[in-house]
């Protein structure tokens, strides 16, 4: 950057920001270096952004907070490393690439085939990964790019496999047939944390289905009692009371009736107690009888008091089924509906959506005269929605891989209780304890094509028929472990949950399981000093990092946890691509017209209605003027980290730029004192006696030094406590209310004005020792205050600091404010 070019009168981010980052990197200023004899190490990792597309304001908030902390630690002289990376984001990336190939090639994933589809995703990753790196650089993130990693890189993949193998061999990972959350749209299981629960009575829209799905219609269906005939060994006919012919059962899910295996009633319900032990006929299959069972889980005053039990499609029914040893009958197998489909003359049952089956069952019930009535059209239903796709979750029984949580969760709880890990905000402690003490085992299987294929092989001894799942890094290793000669070996085709691999990031990014210098030296960079991320990831990511980190390394993965709020739009709505209120931070930094922002929606591959909605929202937002990275960083760091969410307001960025303009104006004045002054230059040549010049200090000079002292103390205290908004408020108050508005304005009257041929003032000069003392004091305060603000506004402060005539000040100065000593 050429600082010999004259400063423009108006602060311009385009003038200041373009060249500095490249220069910092060329000087290797972001690499860990020990710059003090008493320096310690300080390490963080960036929460690896998904390679699904461009970064958004949430990433800008994360970057701003973390970079301030990292730059402050670097200026304290510590050996600092901040490790970048990106996450393959299995479900999210596969979804967006599927939309991409559908839009571009009119192909589905199945039509393309797994090998070609994986190639398409890697092409996508390379494109978006480079774009994310450019964005992080533009945000000023002082990351050590030579340490960057991607969660599907070979070394990282080896770490993921090693983690799975170790946990499997210890019995902490196991395979079982259990009730899971199945997303039909994605064709995979999802964890409990990826399921949103909501109440609704009105029809809802789900992806991949044209019609809206009724969720609040309660259908009353008759289950007729079976009247058994005496067996050959009996000499009499078994008779039952004539007053009960059928049991009416209410359900909002007609399509699951084929999977019914019992009718449950409360044992204390007098309406049904005499029927317990008898059977009803399955309303769809005449040959099938369902037992009437007693279970305390049935609520007597809910509906008719009788519950159809479908263990394969309900979490409650699954538990009832376990207690009564009921079979699991899946309704996702379309041959279940063959008899009814023949009646309805469906030609291609494989193209029928599961909710089409609802009408098929309804018509069949009418045909058999077993449909009694609509109990309610506005029944309040508790819905389980896939947070990834928006589809209604289908509870189903499936054989999957699980992580045993109890032991791992107990270790994570103890680490916080005994102070090895500290939450910066105590308010999250209650949530932490609740989740770790109530969460069930973690399903880590995903039926996807993109991700870490589970390193486990089903080995079958062809001579004995013995089968065993063997976890290993390769098929050869699995064969060797199994031991038999004549075997058939098959690798599990599923991939691991993305959060399993992400949970290893604090140590896998440092080289684990290899004993790399970064990971092995104690103390070096592990454990991390701080884990900073969004508060929505406390369980998805933070808890799992603690659990797996402690188990696999024997140490806590980090010592402190700082959680920032979720960022919403200015009216409090969650930022969503379909709403069109997601903001690319580069559009704020460099400016963007309405048209440019609308065209950017093409990269989101939204469906027709979503894109129209997004275009409408974008069009009403207006053009974005270029406000600069530092202005955005100031706005981001102004928000409190105590609230659960914050509403982004562009006005705060605009005000931040005005604040920087005020400092820019003062800097022009300060620089002018040393630009037009022959007296000052001559004093520098002869040698400045700083001790003598301080004798000229006035009350106002001592006052501004006292104010500077106070803000230096408070800023360091606040940064030590990770309270960035309080630190920034103090810095801004000093610049605006003490330095610019008072001290600079007062000092202008103390110097001789320099005018041009037109009589216009172009600067000021010092002509006496007293004026030189004033000039040196204002220069000293400016230089110190710029260093104080540098972690927040690195581009702006580097530009001004490089222009300051620091040769007039005592001491030596490094090549960049980035590694200058932070004011103490």
């Amino acid at each position: 950057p050429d600082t010999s070019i004259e400063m423009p009168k108006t602060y311009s981010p385009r003038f200041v920001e373009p060249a500095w980052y490249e220069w910092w990197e060329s000087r290797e200023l972001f690499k860990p270096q020990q710059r003090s004899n008493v320096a310690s190490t300080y390490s963080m990792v960036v929460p690896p952004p998904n390679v699904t597309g461009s970064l958004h304001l949430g990433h800008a908030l994360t970057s701003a907070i973390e970079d301030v902390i990292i730059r402050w630690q670097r200026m304290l002289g510590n050996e600092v490393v901040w490790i970048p990376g990106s996450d393959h984001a299995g479900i999210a990336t596969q979804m967006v690439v599927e939309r991409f190939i559908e839009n571009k090639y009119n192909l589905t994933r199945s039509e393309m085939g797994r090998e070609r589809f994986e190639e398409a995703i890697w092409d996508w990753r390379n494109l978006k990964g480079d774009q994310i790196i450019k964005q992080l650089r533009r945000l000023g993130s002082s990351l050590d790019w030579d340490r960057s990693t991607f969660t599907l890189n070979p070394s990282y993949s080896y770490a993921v496999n090693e983690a799975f193998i170790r946990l499997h061999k210890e019995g902490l990972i196991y395979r079982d047939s259990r009730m899971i959350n199945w997303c039909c749209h994605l064709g995979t299981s999802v964890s409990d944390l990826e399921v949103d629960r909501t109440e609704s009575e009105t029809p809802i829209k789900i992806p991949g289905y044209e019609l809206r799905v009724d969720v609040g219609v309660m259908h009353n269906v008759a289950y007729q009692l079976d009247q058994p005939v005496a067996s050959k060994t009996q000499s009499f006919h078994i008779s039952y009371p004539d007053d009960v012919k059928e049991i009416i059962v209410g359900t909002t899910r007609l399509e699951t009736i084929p999977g019914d295996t019992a009718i449950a009633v409360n044992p204390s319900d007098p309406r049904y107690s005499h029927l317990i032990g008898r059977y009803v006929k399955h309303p769809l299959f005449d040959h099938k009888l369902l037992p009437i069972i007693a279970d305390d889980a049935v609520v007597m005053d809910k509906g008719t008091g009788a519950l159809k039990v479908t263990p394969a499609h309900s979490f409650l029914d699954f538990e009832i089924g376990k207690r009564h040893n009921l079979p699991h009958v899946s309704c996702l197998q379309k041959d279940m509906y063959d008899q009814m489909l023949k009646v309805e003359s469906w030609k291609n049952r494989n193209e029928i959506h599961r909710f089409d089956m609802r009408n098929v069952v309804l018509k069949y019930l009418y045909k058999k005269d077993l449909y009694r009535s609509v109990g309610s059209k506005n029944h309040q239903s508790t819905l389980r929605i896939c947070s990834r796709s928006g589809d209604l979750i289908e509870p189903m029984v499936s054989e999957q891989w699980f992580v045993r949580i109890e032991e791992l969760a107990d270790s994570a709880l103890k680490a916080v209780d005994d102070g090895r890990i500290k939450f910066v905000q105590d308010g999250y402690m209650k949530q932490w304890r609740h989740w770790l003490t109530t969460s069930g085992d973690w399903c880590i299987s995903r039926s996807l094509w993109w991700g870490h294929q589970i390193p486990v092989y089903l080995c079958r001894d062809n001579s004995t028929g013995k089968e065993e799942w063997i976890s290993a890094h390769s098929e050869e290793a699995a064969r060797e472990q199994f031991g038999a000669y004549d075997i058939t070996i098959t690798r599990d085709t599923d991939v691991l949950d993305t959060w399993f691999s992400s949970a290893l990031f604090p140590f896998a990014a440092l080289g684990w399981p290899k004993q790399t210098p970064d990971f092995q030296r104690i103390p070096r960079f592990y454990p991390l000093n701080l884990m900073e991320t969004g508060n929505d990831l406390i369980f998805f990511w933070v808890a799992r990092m603690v659990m797996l980190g402690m188990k696999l390394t024997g140490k806590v993965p980090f010592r402190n946890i700082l959680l920032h709020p979720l960022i919403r739009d200015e009216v409090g709505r969650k930022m969503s691509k379909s709403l069109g209120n997601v903001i690319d931070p580069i559009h704020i930094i460099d400016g963007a017209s309405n048209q440019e922002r609308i065209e950017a929606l093409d990269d989101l591959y939204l469906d027709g209605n979503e894109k129209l909605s997004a275009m409408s929202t974008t069009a009403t937002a207006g053009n974005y003027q270029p406000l600069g990275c530092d202005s955005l960083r100031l706005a981001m760091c102004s928000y409190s980290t105590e609230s659960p969410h914050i509403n982004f307001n562009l006005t705060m960025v605009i005000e931040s730029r005005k604040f920087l303009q005020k400092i820019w104006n003062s800097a022009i004045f300060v620089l002018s004192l040393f630009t037009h002054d022959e007296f000052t230059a001559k004093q520098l040549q002869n040698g400045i006696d700083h001790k003598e010049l301080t004798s000229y200090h006035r009350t106002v000079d001592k006052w501004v030094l006292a104010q500077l002292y106070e803000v230096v103390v408070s800023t360091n205290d606040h940064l030590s406590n990770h309270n960035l908004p309080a630190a920034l408020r103090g810095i801004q108050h000093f610049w605006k209310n003490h330095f610019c508005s008072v001290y600079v304005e007062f000092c202008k009257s103390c110097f001789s004005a320099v005018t041009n041929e037109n009589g216009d003032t172009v600067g000021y000069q010092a002509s006496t020792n007293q004026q030189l003392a004033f000039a040196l004091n204002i220069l000293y305060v400016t230089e110190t205050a710029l260093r104080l603000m540098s972690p927040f506004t690195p581009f702006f402060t580097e530009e001004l600091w490089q222009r300051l005539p620091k040769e007039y000040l005592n001491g030596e100065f490094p090549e960049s404010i980035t590694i200058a000593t932070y004011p103490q």
Side-chain angles (χ1 to χ4, degrees), residues 177-189:
S177 183
R178 299 180 57 180
M179 180 63 71
I180 61 165
N181 302 296
W182 185 263
C183 176
C184 293
H185 183 70
L186 299 176
T188 184
S189 60

Side-chain angles (χ1 to χ4, degrees), residues 61-92:
L61 176 62
T62 302
S63 174
I65 293 172
E66 294 179 8
D67 195 48
V68 167
I69 294 169
I70 283 294
R71 287 179 180 272
W72 174 59
Q73 288 289 336
R74 191 179 287 122
M75 292 179 74
L76 290 177
N78 292 325
E79 188 179 6
V80 173
V81 66
W82 187 21
I83 299 175
S86 55
D87 197 297
H88 66 279
I91 292 177

Side-chain angles (χ1 to χ4, degrees), residues 712-728:
V712 165
V713 171
S714 66
T715 300
N716 279 283
D717 286 346
H718 289 314
L719 290 177
S720 297
N721 294 320
H722 304 103
N723 191 346
L724 274 63
L728 183 55

Side-chain angles (χ1 to χ4, degrees), residues 3 671 673-675 677 680-690 693 772 776 779-780 783 800-814:
T3 53
L671 290 171
L673 298 175
F674 301 88
T675 303
D677 196 348
T680 303
K682 187 175 181 180
Q683 293 299 313
L684 176 64
Q685 187 177 359
N686 294 335
I688 295 175
D689 187 342
H690 289 273
L693 290 176
L772 177 61
L776 292 180
L779 175 63
Y780 169 78
E783 192 276 335
L800 294 184
W801 190 82
Q802 291 287 353
R803 291 175 177 273
L804 293 180
K806 294 181 287 297
E807 62 273 16
Y808 286 92
L809 299 175
N810 273 327
E812 296 181 359
F813 297 90

Side-chain angles (χ1 to χ4, degrees), residues 393-407:
I393 285 294
E394 189 65 59
M396 62 177 266
V397 178
S398 178
E399 197 171 25
Q400 304 280 335
W401 292 98
F402 295 86
V403 177
R404 297 187 196 278
I405 290 297
E406 186 175 0
E407 176 190 330

Side-chain angles (χ1 to χ4, degrees), residues 287 474 534 557 560 606 672 696 708 758 774 790 816:
H287 64 282
S474 65
N560 299 283
L606 305 173
S672 73
Y696 292 105
L708 180 62
N758 298 322
F774 303 159
S790 181
S816 169

Side-chain angles (χ1 to χ4, degrees), residues 181-420:
N181 302 296
W182 185 263
C183 176
C184 293
H185 183 70
L186 299 176
T188 184
S189 60
V190 294
S191 72
D192 287 339
L193 289 175
E194 292 166 305
V195 177
D196 297 328
R197 290 160 179 80
T198 185
E199 300 285 330
S200 180
E201 60 186 36
T202 57
I204 66 168
K205 187 77 175 68
I206 63 170
Y209 191 54
E210 294 181 359
L211 304 176
R212 300 183 76 86
V213 178
D214 283 325
V215 295
V217 178
M218 181 66 73
H219 304 273
N220 288 332
V221 179
Y223 288 70
Q224 295 183 328
L225 269 88
D226 179 51
Q227 297 292 339
V229 178
S231 66
K232 293 180 180 179
T233 59
Q234 292 174 323
S235 58
F236 59 90
H237 181 79
I238 301 174
S239 62
Y240 293 103
D242 294 332
D243 57 332
V244 179
K245 300 291 185 183
E246 61 189 25
I247 295 178
I248 306 299
V249 177
T251 180
T252 59
R253 300 205 60 198
L254 291 175
E255 70 278 5
T256 65
I257 288 180
D260 291 352
T261 56
I263 297 297
V265 297
N266 192 289
S268 302
D269 194 332
R271 295 171 295 175
Y272 303 114
S273 59
H274 64 290
L275 299 177
I276 295 170
R278 290 186 59 181
Y279 291 83
V280 295
K281 296 177 182 179
H282 196 292
L284 303 181
F285 311 122
D286 294 335
H287 64 282
K288 189 174 182 180
L289 298 179
L290 309 179
I292 302 172
I293 60 176
D295 198 283
D296 290 327
V298 181
V299 181
M300 286 188 288
D301 58 356
K302 186 175 182 180
T304 65
L307 177 73
K308 60 185 279 302
V309 183
T310 317
H313 291 280
S314 164
F315 285 90
L316 172 64
D317 295 4
F318 179 76
E319 295 302 322
I320 295 174
K322 281 202 300 184
R323 289 193 287 271
H324 297 275
N325 198 29
L326 299 175
H328 301 151
V329 180
S330 173
C331 294
L332 293 183
Q333 301 168 1
K334 291 187 173 68
D335 56 7
M336 290 283 302
Y337 302 88
D338 275 351
Q339 182 178 347
M340 290 165 282
L341 292 173
K342 288 176 183 176
V343 174
E344 295 300 320
S345 301
W346 287 81
K347 292 181 180 180
N348 190 350
R349 59 182 173 83
N350 292 318
E351 295 180 359
I352 300 173
H353 194 278
R354 59 187 163 130
F355 288 116
D356 286 329
M357 296 301 182
R358 182 173 290 182
N359 286 329
V360 173
V361 171
L362 180 61
K363 291 179 180 180
Y364 200 67
L365 290 171
Y366 268 118
K367 182 178 180 63
K368 297 190 68 176
D369 195 26
L370 295 175
Y371 188 81
R372 292 294 173 260
S373 65
V374 175
S376 170
K377 289 188 177 181
N378 54 358
H379 176 76
Q380 193 78 4
S381 297
T382 301
L383 306 180
R384 299 166 68 88
I385 308 292
C386 176
S387 62
R388 298 289 188 176
S389 68
D391 196 8
L392 278 168
I393 285 294
E394 189 65 59
M396 62 177 266
V397 178
S398 178
E399 197 171 25
Q400 304 280 335
W401 292 98
F402 295 86
V403 177
R404 297 187 196 278
I405 290 297
E406 186 175 0
E407 176 190 330
L408 303 177
D410 186 55
S411 298
L413 282 169
K414 288 178 181 176
V416 172
D417 289 343
D418 62 25
R420 283 174 291 163

